[in-house]
Amino acid sequence: MDRKQDASKDLLCEVKVLIDNNRVLELRELIEEYHIIDIFDIMENLDEDMKIQLFEVLPLDMAASILEESGPEFFSSILSNIDIEHRKNILELMSLDDMADILSQLEDEEREKVMDLLSQEDADSVKELLVYEEESSGGIMTTGYISINKDMTAKEAIEHMRSEAEEAETIYYIYVVDNEERLVGVLSLRELIVSRDSNIVGDLMSENIISVYVDEDREEAVRLVSKYNLIAIPVIDRQDKLKGIITVDDIIDVMEEEATEDMYKFAGSSEHEREVVEKVNPTLKEQLLSSLRGRLPWLIITLVGGLLSTIILSNLDYIMNHAYVSLVFFIPVVIGMGGNIGTQSSALTVMALSNKDLDYNNVIREGIVGIVTGIICSAVVGLMIFMFIKDIDIVLIVSISLLINMIVGATIGSFMPVLFKRLDVDPSIISAPVISTLLDITGVTVYFLIATILLSKIA
């Protein structure tokens, strides 16, 4: 157990003691010294009664921040066990985009109960955010931004900022709009502060705006923020009207979520299994059902592929000949190497596609990698086989088959994700089990063909 885990365990014990002894003031002083994430971790390990007792002691801003980090179950559980006024005060301090993310996962009736506690302005903003798809840029944006009119003076803009800053997620970028709320420019806080009071915002702003459309995939927002090292990115509709901004903390959350989702898909599982794995105390039944649901379809596919490979192998009549029975020993090597390089190419291509657009030149490049590595590996395996078996026929069959399989593996592994991307399908669906099974079938087929051709010529 590392130092951080030890500290967390000590904090949990201390909190339990203070709650049991009803030492509220000491408890409040203690938790104010810790980061909200540490407090949230503690709360997830408390029983229901203690969790509520601790939550009611929290300062309102800390309570709101903890709810922003929570999931729908935690959110509903807490709100249903505190009085209405306390609920209203906490909800008022919550970030609207985080609240919308949580509300989108609640039942309609439960969502309406929460919406009824919001001010009319906040309720309208949350309803607007709930319209957008979860995977879209609109689904992760916040309406807590500062915009100023291009015709304002610098002095007017600063006064406007002072009145709006408390509600804003970030004030480092100031977005400039025209009279119809269209985004026309962007201005840094520094540029505005150092300018003269009489300067017009339209003269100060930069018209080179990096933005995303509200209905665009959120991965595009991640790509742009990463490429241009932005702290936030504006979100506009198709008429260029400013609808919100996406801040870097939300971008980081999306990057983590997308990366984890891709890993689960590539491993031949599903997002559902991830959700159960990440639960604090999942039941054995939940774990088993989620694993079966996520893995069984891919395992059935690989099983069918394995049976096809077996059918092909069953037609290799000549390996029953004692002279060539050693060919069987090298089947795992030939198939395995093709599968290995195919999985590598596929994984690297999927990761590269998440950051930029690739074309079929990537497939050619991976094919060349397959040729070079295939030649080296074929030479190594051929030399080792000859040292032990001294049969040039076996050396040729295994070496040539290995070379071809590695070229085919690298090509297929890189081609499939690019093809899926072009078809507007998530390339991470090409999971490792699928690539491996496909290459098992092609590997056995290549081995069969090479052995048949060479042995027939030799005979």
Side-chain angles (χ1 to χ4, degrees):
M1 184 177 289
D2 61 27
R3 187 170 55 185
K4 184 68 177 173
Q5 288 175 314
D6 286 333
S8 181
K9 188 176 180 180
D10 291 341
L11 177 60
L12 177 61
C13 294
E14 195 171 353
V15 166
K16 285 182 176 179
V17 169
L18 292 174
I19 292 175
D20 284 335
N21 291 282
N22 199 30
R23 291 152 63 181
V24 176
L25 290 177
E26 290 180 53
L27 179 61
R28 188 183 181 105
E29 288 175 3
L30 174 67
I31 59 180
E32 285 181 343
E33 296 176 8
Y34 286 86
H35 193 278
I36 58 161
I37 298 300
D38 294 323
I39 303 301
F40 181 52
D41 289 342
I42 294 300
M43 292 185 73
E44 288 197 305
N45 289 285
L46 293 173
D47 60 40
E48 198 66 24
D49 290 338
M50 281 192 169
K51 189 185 297 181
I52 301 302
Q53 286 177 270
L54 176 56
F55 191 83
E56 289 181 331
V57 173
L58 295 174
L60 289 177
D61 59 340
M62 186 178 281
S65 296
I66 283 177
L67 286 186
E68 289 171 1
E69 296 293 332
S70 69
E73 291 180 14
F74 185 98
F75 182 85
S76 299
S77 172
I78 291 293
L79 289 188
S80 62
N81 284 286
I82 59 177
D83 63 66
I84 291 181
E85 278 307 309
H86 197 184
R87 280 183 235 171
K88 285 183 178 179
N89 292 334
I90 292 171
L91 291 171
E92 187 177 339
L93 295 176
M94 281 188 69
S95 170
L96 297 182
D97 60 320
D98 289 324
M99 189 191 301
D101 289 340
I102 297 170
L103 293 182
S104 67
Q105 301 175 64
L106 299 179
E107 298 293 334
D108 291 343
E109 185 179 345
E110 197 170 1
R111 186 187 307 136
E112 287 303 318
K113 287 181 181 178
V114 175
M115 297 285 283
D116 290 340
L117 299 174
L118 304 177
S119 65
Q120 188 60 50
E121 183 181 355
D122 285 351
D124 290 341
S125 296
V126 170
K127 284 177 182 176
E128 183 180 351
L129 292 171
L130 287 170
V131 169
Y132 303 112
E133 293 289 333
E134 185 181 355
E135 300 293 317
S136 69
S137 294
I140 60 170
M141 75 178 184
T142 176
T143 53
Y145 62 90
I146 294 179
S147 65
I148 55 178
N149 190 281
K150 66 182 180 66
D151 298 322
M152 284 182 174
T153 63
K155 182 179 180 181
E156 291 171 337
I158 290 172
E159 288 174 355
H160 176 73
M161 281 183 59
R162 284 176 181 153
S163 64
E164 300 289 328
E166 191 174 343
E167 302 296 324
E169 288 269 337
T170 179
I171 60 171
Y172 298 110
Y173 295 143
I174 303 146
Y175 300 100
V176 185
V177 296
D178 61 15
N179 294 330
E180 296 180 3
E181 294 299 314
R182 288 193 297 255
L183 181 65
V184 292
V186 64
L187 190 63
S188 73
L189 179 60
R190 181 170 182 249
E191 289 171 322
L192 185 61
I193 290 174
V194 300
S195 64
R196 295 186 178 185
D197 289 348
S198 58
N199 284 353
I200 302 299
V201 168
D203 297 331
L204 299 171
M205 70 184 188
S206 168
E207 296 182 13
N208 182 24
I209 311 166
I210 309 299
S211 62
V212 288
Y213 288 114
V214 73
D215 55 354
E216 208 163 10
D217 194 292
R218 63 185 188 175
E219 289 189 20
E220 177 62 12
V222 171
R223 188 184 70 82
L224 291 173
V225 168
S226 176
K227 180 177 180 179
Y228 294 102
N229 295 319
L230 303 175
I231 297 172
I233 188 168
V235 183
I236 57 176
D237 64 14
R238 293 293 172 173
Q239 287 73 49
D240 293 335
K241 291 185 178 180
L242 184 60
K243 307 300 291 183
I245 64 170
I246 301 172
T247 52
V248 70
D249 59 321
D250 291 318
I251 291 293
I252 292 170
D253 289 341
V254 172
M255 289 174 72
E256 181 182 357
E257 188 177 332
E258 292 289 344
T260 306
E261 181 182 330
D262 287 349
M263 281 194 294
Y264 271 85
K265 285 180 180 177
F266 201 75
S269 186
S270 71
E271 188 71 5
H272 185 266
E273 185 169 10
R274 172 198 169 191
E275 291 171 2
V276 174
V277 168
E278 292 181 352
K279 285 182 71 173
V280 179
N281 292 306
T283 64
L284 179 60
K285 181 180 178 182
E286 286 177 323
Q287 290 176 312
L288 288 173
L289 289 177
S290 68
S291 295
L292 289 173
R293 175 179 170 181
R295 303 181 197 182
L296 199 55
W298 297 115
L299 292 174
I300 294 296
I301 291 171
T302 58
L303 178 63
V304 172
L307 291 173
L308 288 173
S309 300
T310 304
I311 292 170
I312 295 170
L313 279 172
S314 66
N315 289 293
L316 298 175
D317 296 331
Y318 49 76
I319 64 174
M320 299 305 293
N321 185 326
H322 180 73
Y324 301 115
V325 73
S326 56
L327 282 173
V328 177
F329 305 150
F330 301 104
I331 290 175
V333 176
V334 173
I335 295 174
M337 291 300 291
N340 288 340
I341 195 170
T343 302
Q344 288 174 341
S345 296
S346 181
L348 290 170
T349 304
V350 169
M351 286 189 288
L353 283 169
S354 65
N355 297 317
K356 60 182 178 180
D357 292 326
L358 297 180
D359 53 27
Y360 293 111
N361 288 331
N362 181 70
V363 180
I364 297 171
R365 184 173 63 251
E366 287 295 327
I368 294 170
V369 171
I371 292 171
V372 175
T373 55
I375 290 172
I376 295 170
C377 291
S378 296
V380 171
V381 78
L383 182 62
M384 294 180 71
I385 292 171
F386 188 75
M387 286 171 60
F388 290 99
I389 297 182
K390 310 285 187 189
D391 189 329
I392 194 64
D393 298 344
I394 303 295
V395 170
L396 286 173
I397 291 169
V398 175
S399 297
I400 295 172
S401 298
L402 183 65
L403 172 61
I404 294 174
N405 272 329
M406 290 187 70
I407 297 170
V408 171
T411 306
I412 290 178
S414 58
F415 172 76
M416 296 301 287
V418 174
L419 176 63
F420 270 52
K421 186 74 172 181
R422 287 293 176 93
L423 296 174
D424 204 24
V425 178
D426 186 356
S428 61
I429 290 175
I430 303 297
S431 65
V434 173
I435 290 289
S436 180
T437 302
L438 182 60
L439 293 176
D440 282 352
I441 296 170
T442 57
V444 169
T445 303
V446 167
Y447 198 46
F448 169 76
L449 290 174
I450 297 297
T452 302
I453 293 168
L454 289 182
L455 291 178
S456 63
K457 287 185 176 181
I458 293 166

